[in-house]
Amino acid sequence: MGEGEVGPKPVEDRPPNPSLVVPLETAMAKSPVPSSPPAPSWFTPKRLLVIFCVINLLNYVDRGVIASNGVNGSRKTCTKSGECSSGSGIQGDFNLSNFEDGVISSAFMVGLLVASPIFASLAKSVNPFRLIGVGLSVWTFATAGCGVSIDFWSITICRMLVGVGEASFISLAAPFIDDNAPVTQKSAWLGVFYMCIPSGIALGYVYGGVVGNHTSWRYAFFGEAILMLPFAILGFIMKPLQLKGFSPAGSKKALTAIETVDSEVQALADVSNCKGGQSPEKPYSCGGANQVSRFWKDLKVLLHEKVYVVNVLGYISYNFVIGAYSYWGPKAGYNIYHMNNADLMFGGITIVCGILGTLAGGCVLDLMTSTISNAFKLLSVATFLGAIFCFSAFCFKSLYVFLALFSIGELLVFATQGPVNYVCLHTVKPSMRPLSMAMSTVSIHIFGDVPSSPLVGVLQDQINNWRKTALILTSILFLAAGIWFIGIFLNGVDRFNEDSEHPVTVVDRSNTTPLLEEKTAETRESAAEP
């Protein structure tokens, strides 16, 4: 270098260029820091699916348990002569009305509503598996708390905390599965995962009935807590995995490596992720207010996505019926058809039809070619036909005719689980999927099964005829089919490979491989970039 030449300023003397807005991950990809932590050698996509399926199964076993006759029980009854029989289960021990009984089944929604958006937003900065560990720990202690509850309010509060625990899982599990499933089997893998909903509820009916009738309804909740505890611990010790559309959730080592990147990258991070400050000493700042603003901005994007909104509206109507079926089904069957073993009967029908229907729905959509339009076609047709069979079933007085028609109806109705969640995942860009799943779940509960259980209880209290109540409830399935039929004519764009706010890799969907299998290759490519 000659005497008259001026060398480049040191990096620390160069002011950040506010006009240069580059995602932090893009800048870091050019540094020697890996873009994602290596996947644990034992951790394969299929094992991920199995773990999430078991957790989901336990979540819905809990729903079936609290609805089973063995755990839920019945109120004290008195004859005109003044002779009273003692009640059984939760309803008998706490002397609950049908409305209060319905409230207990819906109380989890309070925790789910509050916690779901929080967990979905935290997933952008905290390792998702740690969030799942926290949530499942709360779930474990809450279910154990149900077993030691002493009155209506104590068990209601515990049910709210169960919703908090579930919130950490429902917004993150489906995106992980969608990322890691083979491209030609995405709907089938989602079908396997959501098959655990009817299977779990049905298993809960049987488990709650057996435990409640032979010991005490309290032991059913203790058993659930013991079974979930290992998965709660696993959430804290499992090595982190990267979710498509997000920057790697850093462990302490990753964060230390990031801190060693030069100050120019840090300046880019400040410009990209933080608000401008008011003084030279503190030019940028990040805080909770920025996170809240980001959440509302993302929520506004969801509400402006017509395909997503129509899909969720149909899902709400559908879940209004299914939620009431799952809670009041055994009791309605016991009263209409005098089923002494209503728990086992409804449990058996639900578990068989739920498994076959959910798997069939996912596989059929894959065979049709998984597109948003095809998903709506399958949703509307399957729900409409299922509604016809379920409605017809309650019109017959014969138990055997009812069981045959209702089984076919449930088989068709449960075929919707894979397609409806496929639409939720693919109508938004990757970084929005946790929030998409969280808000979908919150919506179907707060407007669907949460009000349906107590409302059906109120309706039954008024008309005192379970057959009429069941027919009125089932007719809402026709509304769900009509809403999903509208979705066929909307211009649904699959956004699975759209650039996210934290771009990592842009690939053509036809060449996509499960994320867990491509992590090593991604790391090498990022390190090799100039």
Side-chain angles (χ1 to χ4, degrees):
M1 182 180 296
E3 292 182 0
E5 295 179 23
V6 180
K9 291 184 179 181
V11 170
E12 58 269 17
D13 292 337
R14 275 184 268 166
N17 183 0
S19 64
L20 184 59
V21 180
V22 181
L24 176 58
E25 288 71 22
T26 301
M28 290 182 59
K30 297 181 180 180
S31 71
V33 181
S35 64
S36 62
S41 59
W42 64 272
F43 207 71
T44 65
K46 288 184 179 179
R47 287 174 181 168
L48 173 73
L49 179 64
V50 170
I51 290 172
F52 281 169
C53 281
V54 175
I55 295 173
N56 204 30
L57 187 74
L58 288 174
N59 270 324
Y60 283 90
V61 162
D62 178 69
R63 306 276 182 85
V65 163
I66 201 167
S68 67
N69 283 326
V71 171
N72 186 264
S74 58
R75 298 178 66 184
K76 299 177 181 179
T77 57
C78 296
T79 63
K80 293 181 180 179
S81 61
E83 295 180 1
C84 296
S85 61
S86 60
S88 62
I90 296 172
Q91 193 173 20
D93 284 3
F94 299 152
N95 194 27
L96 306 179
S97 66
N98 283 336
F99 176 76
E100 289 174 324
D101 200 17
V103 168
I104 289 179
S105 75
S106 305
F108 79 96
M109 186 56 217
V110 176
L112 191 69
L113 173 63
V114 173
S116 289
I118 295 175
F119 279 116
S121 297
L122 287 176
K124 295 185 176 183
S125 56
V126 181
N127 173 19
F129 284 94
R130 302 299 179 260
L131 293 177
I132 290 175
V134 170
L136 295 184
S137 298
V138 174
W139 192 97
T140 300
F141 285 108
T143 50
C146 291
V148 298
S149 56
I150 57 175
D151 56 19
F152 168 74
W153 286 109
S154 61
I155 195 170
T156 299
I157 291 172
C158 287
R159 299 307 299 173
M160 292 178 185
L161 292 175
V162 167
V164 173
E166 186 177 337
S168 68
F169 180 72
I170 52 97
S171 60
L172 300 170
F176 268 119
I177 292 171
D178 192 52
D179 283 348
N180 293 285
V183 176
T184 58
Q185 298 177 8
K186 287 184 179 291
S187 297
W189 278 45
L190 287 174
V192 171
F193 176 70
Y194 286 103
M195 173 194 71
C196 297
I197 295 178
S199 302
I201 292 174
L203 187 59
Y205 287 158
V206 177
Y207 167 71
V210 172
V211 175
N213 291 328
H214 289 82
T215 55
S216 167
W217 60 268
R218 298 180 185 273
Y219 289 105
F221 292 112
F222 295 148
E224 292 175 24
I226 293 172
L227 291 172
M228 184 65 84
L229 183 60
F231 295 99
I233 296 173
L234 190 65
F236 289 106
I237 65 175
M238 186 183 293
K239 291 183 179 180
L241 295 170
Q242 181 177 326
L243 187 63
K244 180 179 176 67
F246 293 94
S247 58
S251 60
K252 289 184 178 180
K253 290 183 179 180
L255 292 175
T256 301
I258 292 173
E259 289 172 359
T260 63
V261 180
D262 61 38
S263 58
E264 184 174 28
V265 172
Q266 183 59 48
L268 294 175
D270 290 339
V271 173
S272 300
N273 299 325
C274 301
K275 294 180 178 180
Q278 303 297 325
S279 63
E281 292 79 10
K282 191 176 181 181
Y284 303 102
S285 64
C286 295
N290 199 24
Q291 292 290 334
V292 172
S293 174
R294 190 178 197 174
F295 165 74
W296 285 113
K297 180 181 177 181
D298 288 346
L299 185 59
K300 188 180 293 185
V301 172
L302 280 181
L303 294 177
H304 280 83
E305 181 58 60
K306 293 180 181 179
V307 177
Y308 176 81
V309 172
V310 168
N311 185 54
V312 172
L313 287 175
Y315 205 7
I316 288 171
S317 303
Y318 166 91
N319 215 57
F320 188 96
V321 179
I322 299 302
Y325 272 176
S326 66
Y327 192 73
W328 293 113
K331 190 165 291 188
Y334 176 82
N335 284 274
I336 298 173
Y337 297 102
H338 308 291
M339 298 180 188
N340 293 324
N341 55 347
D343 284 342
L344 293 174
M345 191 75 73
F346 269 85
I349 292 174
T350 304
I351 196 168
V352 172
C353 296
I355 291 173
L356 296 178
T358 306
L359 289 178
C363 292
V364 168
L365 182 57
D366 284 332
L367 291 174
M368 293 172 64
T369 303
S370 298
T371 64
I372 293 174
S373 177
N374 283 342
F376 276 122
K377 292 175 184 176
L378 183 57
L379 287 169
S380 57
V381 172
T383 305
F384 182 75
L385 294 176
I388 292 175
F389 279 97
C390 288
F391 190 90
S392 300
F394 286 107
C395 294
F396 287 89
K397 294 182 179 180
S398 169
L399 172 61
Y400 299 105
V401 175
F402 165 79
L403 291 176
L405 294 177
F406 192 73
S407 296
I408 297 173
E410 281 211 322
L411 191 69
L412 289 163
V413 166
F414 281 120
T416 60
Q417 290 299 311
V420 72
N421 288 286
Y422 178 89
V423 175
C424 282
L425 289 167
H426 286 254
T427 53
V428 298
K429 62 183 181 180
S431 64
M432 292 278 289
R433 290 182 304 166
L435 184 62
S436 167
M437 296 306 298
M439 298 314 299
S440 170
T441 304
V442 167
S443 298
I444 65 173
H445 288 316
I446 197 170
F447 300 113
D449 57 1
V450 167
S452 72
S453 294
L455 286 176
V456 168
V458 171
L459 178 63
Q460 173 58 23
D461 286 339
Q462 294 296 317
I463 66 177
N464 196 28
N465 187 316
W466 275 111
R467 190 185 301 276
K468 290 182 180 179
T469 298
L471 289 171
I472 294 171
L473 174 66
T474 304
S475 63
I476 299 176
L477 283 175
F478 292 104
L479 174 63
I483 294 173
W484 278 327
F485 183 73
I486 296 172
I488 299 174
F489 304 99
L490 299 178
N491 183 23
V493 178
D494 193 324
R495 305 184 189 279
F496 180 78
N497 281 319
E498 280 195 8
D499 289 346
S500 64
E501 58 189 276
H502 297 294
V504 178
T505 304
V506 179
V507 294
D508 183 78
R509 186 179 174 193
S510 62
N511 296 322
T512 303
T513 56
L515 291 184
L516 291 175
E517 296 178 3
E518 66 180 3
K519 286 184 184 297
T520 305
E522 282 187 6
T523 302
R524 287 198 300 266
E525 291 173 5
S526 298
E529 288 185 10

